[in-house]
């Protein structure tokens, strides 16, 4: 397995609308496994393909807690939220937006329809923290970052802070 390079904001790939996946082959399997390895290495709890520079509709998520076993992950291909209810507001960060975390409004419970790595249709219902992860990663497939959910004032302050951080990195 290969640890992939994570693209960071303002990389334009993070703003693209990802393309649907229609070929379910060994290459897709390998990409999913590499994305999972990259996610656990980061460490993070979810990773979307655009974050490693591939603008396709696939995400991987840490599924250890749900399966009660460490290192278990799930790949969701062409995921789509088909039902959502409730509200929650919890702290979020993003591997593509280092250094920043913020409270974000999300649905408390979502049902996601997707295909597994064999192309078979599946459905999963998630609540609480796991529901946040799914909503965050699916956003990435639409070029949306958690910053976009903040008020414009807060987003402005965050981007200023981030720009300063980027400049420090370059020095
Ligand atoms: Zn993210």
């Amino acid at each position: 397995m290969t640890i992939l390079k994570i693209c960071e904001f303002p990389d334009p790939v993070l703003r693209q609308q990802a393309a649907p996946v229609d070929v379910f082959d060994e290459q897709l399997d390998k990409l999913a496994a590499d994305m999972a390895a990259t996610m656990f290495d980061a460490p993070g709890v979810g990773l979307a393909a655009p974050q490693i520079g591939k603008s396709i509709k696939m995400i991987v998520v840490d599924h250890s807690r749900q399966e009660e076993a460490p290192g278990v992950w799930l790949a969701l291909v062409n995921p789509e939220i088909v039902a959502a209810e409730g509200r929650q507001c919890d702290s979020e960060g993003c591997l593509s937006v280092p250094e920043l975390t913020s409270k974000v409004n999300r649905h408390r419970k979502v049902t996601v329809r997707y295909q597994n790595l064999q192309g078979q249709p599946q459905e999963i219902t998630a609540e609480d923290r796991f529901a946040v992860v799914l909503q965050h990663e699916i956003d990435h497939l639409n070029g949306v970052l958690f910053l976009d959910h903040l008020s414009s004032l807060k987003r402005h302050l965050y981007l200023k802070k981030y720009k300063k951080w980027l400049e420090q990195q370059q020095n």
Side-chain angles (χ1 to χ4, degrees), residues 14 46-48 51 92-97 136-137 140 144-146:
L14 297 169
L47 192 68
Q51 291 183 276
E92 281 181 43
C94 179
L95 295 175
S96 293
V97 192
H136 179 115
E137 299 310 330
H140 274 300
V144 174
L145 298 171
F146 78 98

Side-chain angles (χ1 to χ4, degrees), residues 46-91:
L47 192 68
Q51 291 183 276
I52 50 92
K54 291 238 184 294
S55 193
I56 60 167
K57 289 194 168 182
M58 178 161 73
I59 64 172
V60 296
V61 292
D62 183 350
H63 211 222
S64 311
R65 194 178 294 178
Q66 290 72 27
E67 301 283 336
E68 293 182 4
V72 179
W73 54 274
L74 187 67
L76 293 86
V77 182
N78 300 323
E80 193 190 341
I81 294 170
V82 293
E85 62 181 79
R87 284 271 147 215
Q88 60 178 328
C89 186
D90 207 349
S91 192

Side-chain angles (χ1 to χ4, degrees), residues 2 6 23 33 37 45-46 48 57 93 102 127 135 161:
T2 314
I6 296 175
V23 180
V45 290
K57 289 194 168 182
S102 179
E127 293 181 52
Q135 290 168 87
K161 194 173 149 193

